[in-house]
Amino acid sequence: MNESRLTGTVRIIGAGLLGTSIGLALAKHNVDVVIEDSSPANQSLAIDYGAGRRPASNDTPSLIVVCVPPDVTANVILAELASFPEATVTDVASVKFEILQQLERSGENLTNYVGSHPMAGRERGGAIAGRADLFVGRPWVIAAHANSERTSISKVEALALELGAAPMATTPAEHDRAVALVSHVPQLVSSLLAARLVGAAPEDVALAGQGLRDTTRIAASDPKLWLQILDSNAQEVSDVLKAFALDLDQVIDALDHIDQSGSLAKLGRALEAGNRGVERIPGKHGSKATAYSQVIVMIADKPGELGRLFNEVGEIGVNIEELKLEHSPSSLIGLVELFVLPQAESQLVDELVARGWRLAG
């Protein structure tokens, strides 16, 4: 086991995706993890997975991580602060400002509380979706308030680092403004696009390719959870959507008058702006997106082929920076897009061809 940056017991409240993933990751570092959930079944499943142990009457946690839905987060935080007044308490809710306001209205001492939010997740929820590597390379927002103790902030920073995440400091209000743009509006746009498929002809949907899958993946997320998130960050989300609606109106106008002078130029500017926006999204290592080389491998639709490909790429000694997989249920092959550093492309192509792999393009 590796030595941990954290000392003492870590108590996790909520055995969903995030709580279970935190527990699984900390267990790798020999951290004593207690995990509790209002659902005995969820708690038992997380414990069976190895995400922690059941609470004991003599537990004295050093750090408590609240991983419950946003509408009950503040109440749980207050209960934990009262039960364990010496412990640092953080939460991983997707909104920060409203929760802090609720806590401040209580009048309780909040010096041991530090809000936080890992920018990581999956469209699937629950303990069954937990992954120890969920936070690796992902930003972890630390939204301390004016009265947060420095020692408590340091504990939450240590938690993020322990999980392989990159701590980033913001205020609660700054956090909510940012996530409206990079998380909450993307969810709504994805859901609205996916909703267009409900009444579509089956033969039209059958033509779906990777582009539609990429843009609608998060539409499979839990609506009940997202209603709570949107309710808590409504104004910030609305502001972004209004600007988005203006852009959309301009595109619609150009399409409705496609033969008029300037319409194609207007569409071109919209597409080019998208190119510039994508370039600003942080890449794997938290910096401006890297120009990787793409190698597309065609694999047979049979058990073990994907694993064999990954094993052989490992034997070749080339690191996969990014990965995409495209496969239609009706197809006999799948396409695996491997993104590697440009200087590694030639070696990877030569070695894969020599090993009998078929490449596309």
Side-chain angles (χ1 to χ4, degrees), residues 190-206:
S190 178
S191 295
L192 290 171
L193 177 59
R196 294 292 87 211
L197 304 176
V198 174
E203 58 269 25
D204 293 346
V205 179

Side-chain angles (χ1 to χ4, degrees), residues 207-216 324-327 335 337:
L207 299 180
Q210 196 60 38
L212 183 66
R213 292 185 175 90
D214 286 345
T215 50
T216 59
K324 290 184 180 179
L325 177 63
E326 181 173 357
H327 177 253
L335 299 178
E337 300 178 50

Side-chain angles (χ1 to χ4, degrees), residues 11-21 33-47 51-55 65-69 72 76 80 125-128:
R11 174 175 162 86
I12 298 172
I13 309 299
L17 168 65
L18 295 183
T20 300
S21 296
V33 179
V34 171
I35 192 160
E36 187 170 319
D37 194 281
S38 59
S39 165
N42 290 345
Q43 181 181 15
S44 295
L45 183 58
I47 292 171
R53 61 172 174 82
R54 297 185 185 280
V65 188
V66 176
C67 307
V68 298
V72 296
V76 174
E80 293 300 309
I128 197 170

Side-chain angles (χ1 to χ4, degrees), residues 24 33 41 49 55 64 88 91 103 108 122 126 185 193-194 215 229 241 250 262 264 287 296 309 322 332 341 355 359:
L24 290 171
V33 179
Y49 278 1
I64 300 170
T88 292
D91 71 285
L103 294 172
E108 297 298 325
R122 303 179 68 186
V185 166
L193 177 59
T215 50
I229 294 170
L241 281 176
Q250 291 188 25
L264 287 177
S287 58
I296 304 177
L309 173 63
E322 304 286 354
L332 297 178
L341 294 174
R355 292 166 181 251
L359 306 185

